[in-house]
Amino acid sequence: PRAKAVALAINAPGGAAVQSRLIFKRIRQLAEEKAIPVIAFIEDVGASGGYMIACAADEIIVDETSIVGSIGVVGGSF
């Protein structure tokens, strides 16, 4: 109850889009409900699903050598 912020330590090369979105939505819901800021710390990698979860934070902190971003892979077949 006395927390000043929530810290997310992220080191993830990806993950499924649906599950990442569910985590994203829950983080935002709790942050707004509790009126508390969320800060994401990306260690080595925050890609795809890991990056999506980090985007739920109010601030993202990374090292200049961290790999961060959306891979954006889309696959299709008949």
Side-chain angles (χ1 to χ4, degrees), residues 2-78:
R2 295 184 208 161
K4 304 266 189 222
V6 171
L8 304 174
I10 298 172
N11 192 18
V18 172
Q19 286 74 19
S20 298
R21 175 74 176 146
L22 291 172
I23 295 168
F24 175 97
K25 286 172 53 177
R26 185 65 175 148
I27 291 168
R28 289 310 322 151
Q29 177 187 28
L30 288 170
E32 291 167 16
E33 192 177 288
K34 305 292 184 185
I36 192 166
V38 178
I39 303 166
F41 296 89
I42 295 179
E43 296 173 351
D44 296 321
V45 180
S48 291
Y51 179 57
M52 183 173 199
I53 292 169
C55 286
D58 299 297
E59 183 177 356
I60 301 172
I61 298 172
V62 301
D63 184 79
E64 61 188 40
T65 59
S66 299
I67 299 171
V68 181
S70 177
I71 296 171
V73 174
V74 176
S77 65
F78 293 99

